Amino acid sequence: QVQVVESGGGLVQAGGSLRLSCVASGRTFSMYHMGWFRQAPGKEREFVARISRSGGTTNYADSVKGRFAISRDNAKSTVYLQMNSLKPEDTAVYYCATGTAWSTNIHEYGYWGQGTQVTVSS
């Protein structure tokens, strides 16, 4: 069993920044790829970013490329999502999840956190 807990969400003005954190405990953190996803009201959950087990490979949704950066610290069992130049359309609940496959498909991710709300005002 893996426990996943996100933090760092909040209210920010357009153009601002936030840094999300996610701690995954219970099993060896470095055995998992990690992904960030988000879900806006009335919309399906969508892929945002992913990072490989070692942190050497990252991948982003086109909508956040160049503005968001994913990183991880395996010693701290933590993955981060640095979000810059935030836009109102980034408003969503952001979720962190563990993955055993290198994928952007939510169904490939097994353990999920409860999510953290990010609200970007215009």
Side-chain angles (χ1 to χ4, degrees):
Q1 191 74 10
V2 177
Q3 294 75 43
V4 180
V5 179
E6 305 96 337
S7 62
L11 173 64
V12 64
Q13 288 188 331
S17 297
L18 280 176
R19 188 195 197 200
L20 306 183
S21 298
C22 167
V23 178
S25 60
R27 288 190 179 175
T28 305
F29 180 72
S30 59
M31 68 184 288
Y32 294 108
H33 303 302
M34 297 298 296
W36 284 99
F37 297 79
R38 67 186 181 186
Q39 187 166 18
K43 295 188 177 181
E44 294 187 351
R45 194 169 299 188
E46 64 176 4
F47 165 76
V48 174
R50 57 178 170 162
I51 188 166
S52 61
R53 296 181 180 96
S54 67
T57 303
T58 59
N59 179 237
Y60 300 90
D62 288 343
S63 59
V64 307
K65 202 171 294 182
R67 299 187 298 122
F68 290 12
I70 188 171
S71 61
R72 68 189 294 163
D73 184 338
N74 285 347
K76 296 182 178 180
S77 299
T78 302
V79 61
Y80 305 97
L81 186 67
Q82 178 66 43
M83 306 186 296
N84 300 325
S85 302
L86 282 161
K87 304 175 181 180
E89 51 263 45
D90 293 319
T91 295
V93 177
Y94 282 72
Y95 298 90
C96 171
T98 65
T100 53
W102 183 243
S103 174
T104 62
N105 188 325
I106 63 171
H107 301 294
E108 297 287 352
Y109 288 79
Y111 295 100
W112 293 77
Q114 79 292 345
T116 185
Q117 176 71 48
V118 172
T119 303
V120 184
S121 64
S122 57

